Amino acid sequence: MTRILPILIFPEPRLRGRAKPVIDFNPSLDELVATLLKTMYAAPGIGLAATQVGIMQRVAVVDLGEESGMDKPLILINPEITWRSTETSSYEEGCLSLPDFYEPVSRPQAIKLRNQTSKGESRTLNAEGLLATCIQHEMDHLDGVLFIDYLTPLKRNMIERKLRKQKRLAETL
Ligand code: NI
């Protein structure tokens, strides 16, 4: 039975940790992917990194939905960006770990990627537009980077302060 895991909310310290590369390509990896997918769809969200559920492995999932032309979710295992366009694009980003905050973030418009399958096979991948943004957002999570890190200090502090306050409030209830 695939479980849904609780998603860590900022300022949880594990969100700032660095995930380790996957080295064992065994059935438990498929189980982790299934858990991430189920957790992402339940949220609902369009991307989820393992670090967001406290699992410090370089695994993430992305699914922009059928309307975007994606017929199946993208599974990222040990992803590495090998090329970034100089052209950038900007999308309103949000994050399941920073609920209810949305801000535009500018990132390379297109990327090339090295990725691995759950069997450990290497694949290359090209992405652009919203998909490229989502992949970069999820890959950032694997290095403890959050989208608020790209905002002006003023905006970032405002969001951090509100989330810290919400957490304190939740703990006193
Ligand atoms: Ni996120």
Side-chain angles (χ1 to χ4, degrees):
M1 261 290 280
T2 307
R3 287 187 310 150
I4 292 172
L5 295 178
I7 295 171
L8 303 178
I9 306 294
F10 182 91
E12 156 66 50
R14 278 174 291 176
L15 289 170
R16 290 304 194 178
R18 220 182 128 86
K20 292 196 172 73
V22 172
I23 42 171
D24 289 326
F25 292 85
N26 55 39
S28 72
L29 182 57
D30 289 315
E31 212 165 292
L32 170 59
V33 168
T35 299
L36 290 178
L37 285 171
K38 195 168 184 181
T39 303
M40 174 180 73
Y41 292 132
I46 57 172
L48 186 70
T51 51
Q52 288 179 275
V53 291
I55 296 171
M56 305 313 277
Q57 293 207 64
R58 302 191 81 78
V59 181
V61 292
V62 172
D63 193 346
L64 303 183
E66 273 172 20
E67 317 85 76
S68 74
M70 275 180 97
D71 54 349
K72 57 179 186 337
L74 174 63
I75 315 299
L76 297 168
I77 298 172
N78 296 335
E80 272 177 58
I81 293 177
T82 54
W83 176 82
R84 294 170 171 82
S85 66
T86 48
E87 193 192 331
T88 58
S89 56
S90 176
Y91 287 98
E92 287 259 307
E93 293 191 25
C95 182
L96 294 172
S97 295
L98 300 140
D100 302 326
F101 291 98
Y102 299 90
E103 293 290 339
V105 176
S106 176
R107 300 180 187 268
Q109 193 271 338
I111 52 173
K112 284 191 204 303
L113 209 73
R114 199 181 300 125
N115 192 31
Q116 280 182 283
T117 67
S118 64
K119 306 280 175 278
E121 291 155 9
S122 279
R123 294 274 190 273
T124 56
L125 184 83
N126 298 325
E128 57 173 31
L130 181 59
L131 180 60
T133 278
C134 271
I135 292 171
Q136 292 174 82
H137 176 118
E138 297 315 323
M139 285 181 66
D140 273 353
H141 275 301
L142 304 179
D143 291 320
V145 174
L146 302 171
F147 84 88
I148 53 170
D149 300 346
Y150 298 97
L151 307 180
T152 61
L154 193 72
K155 265 195 184 142
R156 182 183 157 168
N157 288 338
M158 189 265 293
I159 293 173
E160 287 187 356
R161 221 173 32 241
K162 283 186 180 165
L163 284 165
R164 284 205 172 89
K165 199 171 157 188
Q166 278 173 23
K167 189 170 196 183
R168 273 201 307 276
L169 215 65
E171 281 165 358
T172 55
L173 290 175

